[in-house]
Amino acid sequence: LRSFAPDRTPVVGFDPAAEGFFWLAGQGGYGIQTAPAMSRLAAALILRAPGEQPVDAATVAALSPARFHAS
Ligand SMILES: Cc1cc2nc3c(=O)[nH]c(=O)nc-3n(C[C@H](O)[C@H](O)[C@H](O)COP(=O)(O)OP(=O)(O)OC[C@H]3O[C@@H](n4cnc5c(N)ncnc54)[C@H](O)[C@@H]3O)c2cc1C
């Protein structure tokens, strides 16, 4: 889908409020270019394999849907 997050940045990660729901969205505009990296990251997060993550923890946090939830 050609979806957009409010900050126009992809959303990748488990929803902090809905247990077991995983987001891979907000790729509108550059989803074709980012799909290989996003899919690798999604697989690592779903499999809970931090050593396999293609990006560092700060990038994981920047892409997480948790950024839209008040703490
Ligand atoms: C109208 C439009 C214009 C766009 N323009 C651009 C653009 O100019 N530039 C750009 O970079 N991006 C663009 N995008 C976004 C880009 O197409 C997507 O972000 C990108 O294709 C996402 O890739 P993906 O592999 O994550 O998902 P998808 O390409 O959606 O692939 C998911 C695949 O999984 C399959 N699938 C779904 N459920 C199951 C199941 N249960 N079992 C097995 N297979 C399943 C689907 O059939 C599909 O083949 C556009 C999107 C749209 C809709």
Side-chain angles (χ1 to χ4, degrees), residues 1-2 24 27-33 35:
L1 296 178
R2 191 171 185 264
L24 178 48
Q27 298 157 284
Y30 47 96
I32 293 171
Q33 299 96 312

Side-chain angles (χ1 to χ4, degrees), residues 1 3-4 8 13 20-21 24 29 31-32 38 40 42 45 50 52 57 60 65-67 69:
L1 296 178
S3 59
F4 293 90
R8 299 257 167 171
F21 188 91
L24 178 48
I32 293 171
M38 293 299 110
R40 287 180 58 205
L45 292 173
E52 304 290 322
V60 171
R67 70 186 190 270
H69 287 251

Side-chain angles (χ1 to χ4, degrees), residues 12-70:
V12 187
F14 283 102
D15 189 287
E19 186 178 351
F21 188 91
F22 190 91
W23 287 97
L24 178 48
Q27 298 157 284
Y30 47 96
I32 293 171
Q33 299 96 312
T34 57
M38 293 299 110
S39 59
R40 287 180 58 205
L41 175 59
L45 292 173
I46 291 168
L47 295 172
R48 303 186 192 281
E52 304 290 322
Q53 285 175 9
V55 296
D56 60 25
T59 303
V60 171
L63 296 171
S64 171
R67 70 186 190 270
F68 300 115
H69 287 251

